Amino acid sequence: MTEQPTEQPTEQPTPTRTAIVTGGARGIGAATARRLAADGRAVAVLDLLEDQAAETAAGIVAAGGRAIGIGADVADAEAAEAAVARVTDELGAPTVLVNNAGILRDNLLFKMSEDDWDAVLRVHLRGAFVMSRAVQSHMVSAGWGRIVNLSSTSALGNRGQANYSAAKAGMQGFTKTLAIELGKFGVTANAVAPGVVATEMIAATAARIGMTLDDYLAAAAKDVPVGRAGRPEDIAAAVAFFCSEEAGYVSGQVLYVAGGPKA
């Protein structure tokens, strides 16, 4: 008797996911946008610097990916909602959100103005809140979502950064709460906390204290066990894992990407 061939189950392709990366024009945000595009995501690059966001998106498209650049103030609720609506229309409903937008207004406590305090918390914390609120309905509807918030080693405290440290520590509490609230809908929330990374933001810090970027990074590297400062791509790799299909059982975590143990 001739055996009949058994029908093999057809493997279902992984659906294309749409990602939003805030503060995506430069540095860690741009590296993350490029990495997610290389992983097969359609990517919306959001940034206050609209021209640079468009340039980053154009680079992704030139490399064979799908991307758009959008100028938006992520802490403005109406602007955030409009940006999410545009992403949905042009790329598809977003189910990946990387809250990376941030600014520095460093100073010692007795010199720090209320405006500098408010500006930093507005971009980091209010921005992450507004964007997450705008996107979560798409994730809940899809039964799948990934939120990654950028924290920092400064969340553990750093001289001259009372505002930034408070914001980055707040990002960790925000992340853990999102993980609790959204987990039953298939949505994970995690945070990546970089150490010293060679970006335009760090270059501004170096200039403020009268150092070149190279000298600043070399000095910082002396305290890093792996012996070097970070690169934006180092952080993008960690973010990409949290955004992956395989990371569905990882939520509410803070990963320090700092070349050595931090917390």
Side-chain angles (χ1 to χ4, degrees):
M1 181 176 178
T2 303
E3 292 187 4
Q4 297 297 316
T6 57
E7 185 175 331
Q8 297 297 318
T10 302
E11 185 175 339
Q12 296 299 314
T14 300
T16 299
R17 310 286 189 187
T18 297
I20 295 175
V21 180
T22 72
R26 305 183 300 180
I28 290 171
T32 297
R34 289 190 291 267
R35 174 59 189 265
L36 294 181
D39 289 347
R41 311 294 193 217
V43 181
V45 180
L46 265 64
D47 205 290
L48 203 57
L49 304 171
E50 185 170 6
D51 290 346
Q52 292 188 31
E55 289 177 11
T56 299
I60 291 171
V61 172
R66 292 180 64 210
I68 57 173
I70 300 176
D73 176 356
V74 296
D76 181 316
E78 290 186 4
E81 292 283 357
V84 170
R86 180 179 166 190
V87 172
T88 303
D89 289 342
E90 297 188 28
L91 295 178
T95 53
V96 176
L97 172 64
V98 181
N99 285 310
N100 169 73
I103 61 172
L104 291 177
R105 295 290 186 273
D106 293 352
N107 225 325
L108 295 174
L109 178 63
F110 77 99
K111 294 180 180 179
M112 185 174 291
S113 69
E114 292 175 14
D115 286 345
D116 285 346
W117 175 272
D118 291 343
V120 169
L121 267 69
R122 179 181 184 275
V123 175
H124 292 270
L125 281 178
R126 179 183 168 91
F129 157 67
V130 166
M131 287 300 303
S132 298
R133 186 180 63 181
V135 170
Q136 60 85 29
S137 62
H138 294 292
M139 298 179 176
V140 171
S141 295
W144 192 99
R146 301 285 187 264
I147 298 173
V148 182
N149 297 317
L150 268 292
S151 180
S152 168
T153 55
S154 291
L156 304 174
N158 196 33
R159 177 180 170 85
Q161 288 194 319
N163 48 6
Y164 187 76
S165 296
K168 290 307 192 182
M171 290 290 268
Q172 297 187 15
F174 179 61
T175 298
K176 291 178 181 292
T177 300
L178 291 184
I180 293 168
E181 292 187 5
L182 299 176
K184 65 182 179 181
F185 302 108
V187 180
T188 65
N190 292 285
V192 173
V196 177
V197 180
T199 64
E200 291 87 346
M201 185 179 284
I202 293 298
T205 298
R208 181 177 58 82
I209 61 176
M211 296 179 69
T212 67
L213 177 59
D214 288 344
D215 287 345
Y216 184 92
L217 294 176
K222 294 178 181 178
D223 295 325
V224 178
V226 301
R228 67 171 176 87
R231 297 181 291 263
E233 291 75 17
D234 295 321
I235 313 307
V239 173
F241 166 70
F242 282 138
C243 293
S244 69
E245 302 287 336
E246 294 83 0
Y249 199 58
V250 182
S251 196
Q253 302 305 303
V254 179
L255 175 61
Y256 284 84
V257 184
K262 285 292 179 180

